[in-house]
Amino acid sequence: MKILLASSEAAPFIKTGGLGDVAAALPKALAESANTEVYVFLPYYKAIKDNPDFEIEYLTNFTVPLSWRSVYCGLFRAVSKRKKLQYYFIDNEYYFYRDGCYGHYDDGERFAFFSKAILESLLHLDWYPDVIHANDWQTALVPVFLRAFYMGSEEYQPIRTLFTIHNMEYQGRFPDEFVDEVLGLPGDWKGTMQFDGCTNLMKAAILTSDRVSTVSRTYAYEIQNPYFAHGLHDVLRSHSYKLSGVVNGIDTEVFDPATDPLIYTNFDAATLEKKAENKKFLQERLGLAVRDDVPMVVMITRLVGHKGVDLIQAVMGDLLWDDLQLVVIGTGEWQYEEMFRSYAWNYPAKMSANIVFDNTLAHQAYAGADLVLMPSKQEPCGLTQLIAMRYGTIPIVRETGGLFDTVPAYDIATGEGNGFTFKTYNAHDMLDAVRRGEGLFHDKEHWTALQKSVMAHDSSWKRSVQEYWDIYHAMTD
């Protein structure tokens, strides 16, 4: 089977969040299957083009029709010995030779061009996939353009499309005139494109794709309700027959405490005592009190409200009253960044605020911390809890989305479960879950058993890939 995965980011080339990890690990796992070719398409961003670590070759160039425009497109490919997995890059320096992937005034036009250019590239590669797997609003126009402009071509007619929603909050909303001025779609497409007084790219992708998926089973149910759907609940309910939830996996080779080159010392479940050396190293690096008798709680997250940071803000005094250490790694909204900096200034032995995205520090925190805190209001899947468990770091999560699917509540009587949970979006319920984690930390027999149990949890792509194969085959068969 031939699969084209379209994404606005993919590690190691470019990554701003979980999508970058998924778009790296999923194609790699798919390509391991027999008789499979996987092509990944990315924008040729400035950060990729200027990085000397990547060996990328020029293939060809052509023009892409985009409404009244005829836009230059260069097609590049990463040099690779793996013929079954290829990375292609859509080049246009006006759109992509900029700092940062997102947040530009013309993001809608940039990613409309990217989506159209992917389909035009197939003509020049003379390669036509069985399935195009589009991801989030940045590639939501791929199934739209496919149906609107390419179904008259015999080569394109067999192509089926899967659209994966990684986060309902970001839907690709633009003014009404976007349909005419940028997309150039016929007038009878306006009903498909428009929603709630504007153009909505995610809504259009849900309507035009053969199948729709999201990144956990619970989130697939949640987004059919108004609280989680950001307006699209009725659209999703009416198309629920083609909606599936597939929990993300992680790259277990990258996130392996036994071989991870970024952590202080390697360990596994049989040498779990070495985790203490990583904790001591992290305490020394961050200027915290070097103690092995205090639980270290880490947050590796974007510092925004829907990640539950407002709950932490409400009980920071209570948290730091406890005998624990708190480590924060991430960037986000100014109010939260300043809050954590302030507490770190006042409690330097107990609190470390690292207002930065630092991949090496994140790996060291996974290896050294005892608990990872994820009190999200909404969490489609979450990768942090899956990565943390690989390193024997116990999750504290709210029961929502993928957190509910991957972290069943720990039961000390049976030893079952992966972490400490709370259901209501309430600061003191979260605080109670943290304190349950603190309490078990001092019960070394049960604590060690729980660490070994979560390290054995299968967070690989094996099961998830099989579910994607089931979707692909259901469309193409």
Side-chain angles (χ1 to χ4, degrees), residues 169-384:
E169 186 173 355
Y170 306 105
Q171 298 179 2
R173 298 182 180 93
F174 300 98
D176 277 349
E177 56 269 22
F178 189 79
V179 175
D180 297 320
E181 286 295 311
V182 176
L183 306 184
L185 289 166
D188 57 0
W189 274 82
K190 286 193 175 181
T192 300
M193 302 303 302
Q194 293 176 340
F195 182 80
D196 197 24
C198 66
T199 301
N200 188 306
L201 304 190
M202 184 175 286
K203 179 249 187 177
I206 294 168
L207 265 59
T208 57
S209 296
D210 294 290
R211 291 287 296 268
V212 179
S213 72
T214 189
V215 289
S216 69
R217 291 179 293 276
T218 297
Y219 196 58
Y221 289 108
E222 289 177 339
I223 59 177
Q224 297 179 58
N225 294 282
Y227 181 78
F228 295 94
H230 298 275
L232 290 181
H233 50 283
D234 286 333
V235 175
L236 285 158
R237 285 176 185 171
S238 63
H239 290 79
S240 61
Y241 66 92
K242 61 179 180 182
L243 175 63
S244 304
V246 182
V247 175
N248 285 334
I250 59 172
D251 190 326
T252 53
E253 293 181 5
V254 172
F255 299 106
D256 185 351
T259 58
D260 190 340
L262 300 180
I263 66 176
Y264 177 70
T265 188
N266 295 116
F267 64 97
D268 57 21
T271 57
L272 193 53
E273 66 278 1
K274 291 185 178 180
K275 185 173 170 66
E277 298 176 35
N278 288 283
K279 182 175 180 178
K280 180 182 178 183
F281 169 82
L282 188 61
Q283 290 170 328
E284 291 174 342
R285 174 177 174 175
L286 300 180
L288 299 170
V290 178
R291 296 176 54 189
D292 61 4
D293 63 335
V294 60
M296 179 187 287
V297 182
V298 67
M299 286 189 67
I300 304 170
T301 184
R302 285 182 293 123
L303 304 179
V304 293
H306 75 266
K307 290 293 187 179
V309 186
D310 53 341
L311 299 186
I312 296 165
Q313 185 178 40
V315 293
M316 273 295 289
D318 298 275
L319 275 173
L320 293 177
W321 177 262
D322 290 359
D323 192 19
L324 58 72
Q325 293 177 338
L326 181 62
V327 175
V328 174
I329 303 170
T331 61
E333 296 175 12
W334 178 84
Q335 60 171 323
Y336 299 127
E337 292 183 350
E338 289 303 300
M339 174 192 71
F340 286 125
R341 285 192 182 105
S342 175
Y343 277 103
W345 176 264
N346 287 293
Y347 298 87
K350 300 184 69 173
M351 168 81 201
S352 175
N354 306 274
I355 310 303
V356 64
F357 176 77
D358 185 329
N359 185 55
T360 299
L361 180 59
H363 278 247
Q364 292 169 353
Y366 288 128
D370 300 298
L371 296 148
V372 62
L373 178 57
M374 298 181 69
S376 303
K377 182 179 291 184
Q378 301 176 30
E379 193 66 62
C381 179
L383 299 178
T384 299

Side-chain angles (χ1 to χ4, degrees), residues 429-469:
D429 286 355
M430 178 200 72
L431 182 62
D432 175 70
V434 174
R435 286 176 170 167
R436 280 184 274 131
E438 294 176 45
L440 193 75
F441 171 82
H442 296 289
D443 180 348
K444 291 305 178 185
E445 180 182 350
H446 288 99
W447 179 257
T448 301
L450 178 56
Q451 285 184 302
K452 291 182 177 180
S453 175
V454 300
M455 291 180 78
H457 178 79
D458 184 4
S459 299
S460 72
W461 277 97
K462 184 177 180 181
R463 179 183 299 176
S464 303
V465 163
Q466 185 56 55
E467 293 184 42
Y468 276 119
W469 277 124

